[in-house]
């Protein structure tokens, strides 16, 4: 504008306060906008976080510094001796031969000739090479940071980039090499040779990397490796799509913690509970980024530390069924002819298992192990899955289940699935999800089963754990039977025999219609 260019600096606080060094209103407006634009790029880089750059990108940024130095000093280069001293300090810093050096300024230049003579000695001719070579070469980079740090900060700020430590060091070294090249060219200018530098073409134009890996691509790789359940795949795909819609893209490296917070707030505003947002939405994104970091796909997890702060309200926690409700549920099941209605309630009541585990049960998983009739709970052979590793277990059958005629039902079904047809290949959801969901809908429609605090099928699991405690089952055994992880590392060293488990399970009363327990039954065996 009307005033010559100038460099400004200031300390950031609540406000950015800086003198624009002009009395011209138009110039002041332009400079104010320039400061704001520079800060916006800086803040954007910090929000995105440090990123690596390719060697081509590093060389391109060094080229920006080279061109800046030529433009800044090319018309009035001074003397060749000035550039000899300038190059000597730059090479000494690059090669770690010196502890401290004056920085290369963005505008103007400092007379370094006197300091060069003191440090490198007076040598004949126009070269200080011998004096630099006499100093030992090291791997120290402090002087390199001093010499080229301002140029690095300047060129990164122009692009709105914050780089990781490895890239930062590579950039400093490349800027030092570019500065040496500029020093040679400016020395020629000072000698009256203004021909263009033929080696200047080695610097390419800076180009941002193409969009990195998408969150969907990370999800697909995670899915291939972990093989989650069909319901998890469906749920998580919806969560990823929701975050993508909120941010406006799904470049995993560009999604920031601010983006995640904004998305989290929108989920809460849409009416999702704090537990769902924390344990489902945010847990999904955190898990995918952890996978991405472990596989060198991304460098940071923007969902770390983000959560919904909500106090649990009285009257909202989940409750178990009462003994009377269990008795009425079993009575209703006895009247049904559909297999999932007839047998799943009794399986849930006598095992305390998750409904998904029982819904995918097959005939070949109902067998005698070490002389004890058992239910072998493991992933279904047609693609079903369990919640986690501790969910895989073998549970002795309760006497009430055996006496109900369940074994005869299993024999009639053969080795295949008991409650669904074979899963279709390529289906997103396992076929057992159907009877599982239908069971919950059926229970909810029964008279007296409309309490929202009692999950239709899962309340049986809460009831079982409560009854186990009342009947003296040790927590470690109850956790093992239900597939809960041990509370401590020491607990993982504890193992139980099937006969011991069968005796404990037989102690569990099964409420009858009159709410009176059936009593303790002997350990079932098959010969």
């Amino acid at each position: 504008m009307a005033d010559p260019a100038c460099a400004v600096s200031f300390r950031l606080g609540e406000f950015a306060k800086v003198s624009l060094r002009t009395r011209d209103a138009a110039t002041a407006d332009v400079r104010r906008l320039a400061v704001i634009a520079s800060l916006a790029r800086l803040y954007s880089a910090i929000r995105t976080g440090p990123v690596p750059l390719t060697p081509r990108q590093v060389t391109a940024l060094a080229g920006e510094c080279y061109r800046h130095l030529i433009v800044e000093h090319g018309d009035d280069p001074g003397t060749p001796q000035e550039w000899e001293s300038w190059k000597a300090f730059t090479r000494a810093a690059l090669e770690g031969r010196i502890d401290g050096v004056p920085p290369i300024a963005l505008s103007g230049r400092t007379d370094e000739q006197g300091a060069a003579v003191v440090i490198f000695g007076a040598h004949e001719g126009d070269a200080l090479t011998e004096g630099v070579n006499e100093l030992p070469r090291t791997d120290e980079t402090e002087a390199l940071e001093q010499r080229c740090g301002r140029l690095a900060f300047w060129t990164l700020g122009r692009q709105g980039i914050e780089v990781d430590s490895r890239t930062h060091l590579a950039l400093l070294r490349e800027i030092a090499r570019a500065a040496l090249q500029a020093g040679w060219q400016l020395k020629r200018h000072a000698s009256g040779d203004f021909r263009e530098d033929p080696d200047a073409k080695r610097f390419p134009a800076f180009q941002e990397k193409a969009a990195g890996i998408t969150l969907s691509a990370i999800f697909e790789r995670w899915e291939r490796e972990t093989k989650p359940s069909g319901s998890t795949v469906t749920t998580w795909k919806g969560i990823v799509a929701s975050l993508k819609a909120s941010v406006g893209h799904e470049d995993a490296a560009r999604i920031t913690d601010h983006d995640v917070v904004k998305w989290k707030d929108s989920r809460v505003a849409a009416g999702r509970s704090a537990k769902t947002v924390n344990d489902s939405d945010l847990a999904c994104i955190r898990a995918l980024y952890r996978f991405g970091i472990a596989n060198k796909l991304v460098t940071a997890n923007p969902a770390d530390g983000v959560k919904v702060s909500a106090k649990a309200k009285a009257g909202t926690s989940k409750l178990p069924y009462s003994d009377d409700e269990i008795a009425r549920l079993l009575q209703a099941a006895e009247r049904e002819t559909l297999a999932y209605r007839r047998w799943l309630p009794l399986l849930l009541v006598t095992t305390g298992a998750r409904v998904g585990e029982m819904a995918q049960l097959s005939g070949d998983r109902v067998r005698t192990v070490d002389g004890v009739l058992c239910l072998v709970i493991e992933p279904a052979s047609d693609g079903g899955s369990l919640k986690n590793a501790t969910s895989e277990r073998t549970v002795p059958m309760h006497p009430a289940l055996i006496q109900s005629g369940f074994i005869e039902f299993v024999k009639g079904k053969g080795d295949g699935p008991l409650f669904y047809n074979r899963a279709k290949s390529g289906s997103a959801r396992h076929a057992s999800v159907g009877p599982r969901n239908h069971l919950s809908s059926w229970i909810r429609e029964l008279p007296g089963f409309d309490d929202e605090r009692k999950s239709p099928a899962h309340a049986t699991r809460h009831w079982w754990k409560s009854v186990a405690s009342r009947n003296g089952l040790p927590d470690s055994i109850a956790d093992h039977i239900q597939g809960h992880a041990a509370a401590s590392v020491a607990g993982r060293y504890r193992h139980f025999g099937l006969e011991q488990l069968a005796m404990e399970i037989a102690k569990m009363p099964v409420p009858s219609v009159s709410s009176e327990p059936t009593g303790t039954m002997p350990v079932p065996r098959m010969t």
Side-chain angles (χ1 to χ4, degrees):
M1 297 297 290
D3 293 2
C6 66
V8 297
S9 62
F10 51 90
R11 183 179 299 278
L12 280 177
E14 184 178 357
F15 302 99
K17 299 179 180 179
V18 60
S19 170
L20 298 177
R21 301 185 185 180
T22 182
R23 293 182 180 277
D24 183 78
T27 303
D29 285 342
V30 171
R31 290 183 174 181
R32 180 177 59 82
L33 293 174
V35 171
I36 291 173
S38 179
L39 286 175
R41 289 193 297 270
L42 174 64
Y43 296 153
S44 176
I46 293 172
R47 282 194 295 266
T48 302
V51 298
L53 298 180
T54 65
R56 179 185 179 90
Q57 290 175 307
V58 169
T59 302
L61 291 179
E64 290 189 353
C65 297
Y66 169 88
R67 288 185 289 272
H68 173 77
L69 293 171
I70 296 299
V71 170
E72 180 68 21
H73 306 292
D75 290 341
D76 183 16
T79 67
Q81 290 74 25
E82 288 182 74
W83 296 109
E84 277 298 323
S85 302
W86 196 84
K87 291 193 295 94
F89 276 116
T90 303
R91 185 166 76 87
L94 175 62
E95 297 175 357
R97 297 178 186 270
I98 194 169
D99 292 332
V101 291
I104 297 175
L106 287 173
S107 61
R109 59 181 181 273
T110 304
D111 184 1
E112 300 173 347
Q113 288 181 268
V117 171
V118 172
I119 295 175
F120 306 119
H123 294 270
E124 295 183 0
D126 58 355
L128 294 172
T129 301
E130 294 179 20
V132 175
N133 290 342
E134 289 174 0
L135 298 174
R137 186 169 186 163
T138 70
D139 294 329
E140 293 297 324
T141 60
E142 182 177 352
L144 181 61
E145 179 74 59
Q146 293 173 350
R147 187 65 172 169
C148 301
R150 291 186 182 180
L151 286 173
F153 183 81
W154 169 79
T155 188
L156 290 171
R158 281 167 55 88
Q159 301 297 337
I161 299 172
E162 182 183 4
V163 295
D164 57 28
S165 57
R166 184 175 180 179
T167 300
H168 181 71
L169 181 58
L171 178 61
L172 288 174
R173 287 173 173 156
E174 197 57 41
I175 289 176
R177 296 187 184 99
L180 284 174
Q181 183 176 336
W184 280 108
Q185 180 66 9
L186 291 167
K187 178 185 174 183
R188 286 192 287 269
H189 283 198
S191 301
D193 183 354
F194 286 88
R195 285 176 294 184
E196 292 185 5
D197 180 4
D199 291 334
K201 295 182 179 179
R202 77 178 184 89
F203 299 111
F206 181 80
Q207 293 180 338
E208 291 190 23
K209 282 180 71 173
I213 190 166
T214 65
L215 198 55
S216 293
I218 294 178
F219 173 79
E220 290 171 1
R221 289 185 56 166
W222 173 84
E223 182 185 0
R224 286 196 299 270
E225 287 195 22
T226 61
K227 297 178 175 55
S229 66
S231 59
T232 298
V233 171
T234 301
T235 301
W236 282 29
K237 279 185 176 180
I239 293 171
V240 170
S242 173
L243 178 58
K244 175 183 175 182
S246 174
V247 177
H249 66 84
E250 61 170 338
D251 185 343
R254 290 171 53 207
I255 295 176
T256 68
D257 53 354
H258 295 274
D259 293 328
V260 175
V261 169
K262 177 183 175 183
W263 169 68
K264 177 263 295 182
D265 291 342
S266 70
R267 301 290 266 183
V268 173
R272 291 172 75 84
S273 69
K275 179 176 177 58
T276 300
V277 175
N278 283 330
D279 298 348
S280 182
D281 296 346
L282 292 171
C284 162
I285 302 303
R286 270 194 295 270
L288 293 180
Y289 270 96
R290 281 197 299 267
F291 177 85
I293 291 172
N295 289 274
K296 312 303 180 185
L297 303 175
V298 290
T299 59
N301 191 334
D304 273 348
V306 180
K307 65 178 182 179
V308 178
S309 298
K311 180 188 278 188
K313 295 181 180 180
T316 60
S317 61
K318 294 300 181 182
L319 297 175
Y321 284 136
S322 66
D323 288 353
D324 180 67
E325 286 171 322
I326 292 293
R328 289 191 287 110
L329 174 61
L330 295 181
Q331 182 188 43
E334 287 180 1
R335 296 193 295 265
E336 292 293 329
T337 56
L338 293 176
Y340 73 87
R341 294 182 183 178
R342 172 65 185 92
W343 298 110
L344 283 180
L346 185 56
L347 285 166
L348 298 178
V349 168
T350 56
T351 64
R354 301 176 180 91
V355 63
E357 296 169 343
M358 294 294 98
Q360 67 177 14
L361 200 64
S362 56
D364 60 341
R365 307 292 167 84
V366 181
R367 55 179 180 258
T368 301
V369 181
D370 295 337
V372 179
L373 272 172
C374 296
L375 303 172
V376 179
I377 301 174
E378 57 188 11
S381 59
D382 56 1
S385 62
L386 301 179
K387 182 176 182 179
N388 49 45
T390 58
S391 299
E392 188 169 354
R393 61 202 186 278
T394 299
V395 178
M397 293 174 60
H398 192 284
L401 183 60
I402 299 173
Q403 294 179 359
S404 68
F406 178 70
I407 299 300
E408 289 70 25
F409 162 72
V410 172
K411 289 180 179 178
K413 296 288 289 188
D415 290 340
L418 299 180
F419 305 112
Y420 64 91
N421 296 323
R422 288 284 182 182
K424 295 181 180 179
S425 178
S427 176
R429 298 197 315 173
H430 190 256
S432 62
V433 173
R436 183 187 75 188
N437 291 342
H438 290 321
L439 177 70
S440 295
S441 298
W442 172 72
I443 294 175
R444 188 62 83 196
E445 294 171 357
L446 293 174
F449 286 85
D450 56 355
D451 188 341
E452 292 296 331
R453 296 183 64 184
K454 299 180 180 182
S455 300
H458 205 67
T460 59
R461 188 165 163 84
H462 286 260
W463 171 85
W464 193 96
K465 180 60 70 71
S466 301
V467 173
S469 178
R470 292 203 305 263
N471 283 270
L473 265 71
D475 287 343
S476 57
I477 291 181
D479 288 343
H480 178 81
I481 292 172
Q482 287 197 296
H484 280 138
S488 65
V489 175
R492 300 172 196 165
Y493 288 84
R494 189 181 293 114
H495 301 277
F496 305 99
L498 288 176
E499 186 168 350
Q500 177 189 7
L501 294 177
M503 292 178 63
E504 296 294 343
I505 288 175
K507 297 177 182 177
M508 291 285 289
V510 177
S512 64
V513 178
S514 61
S515 298
E516 295 178 357
T518 59
T520 300
M521 299 183 181
V523 177
R525 291 183 175 276
M526 178 178 285
T527 59

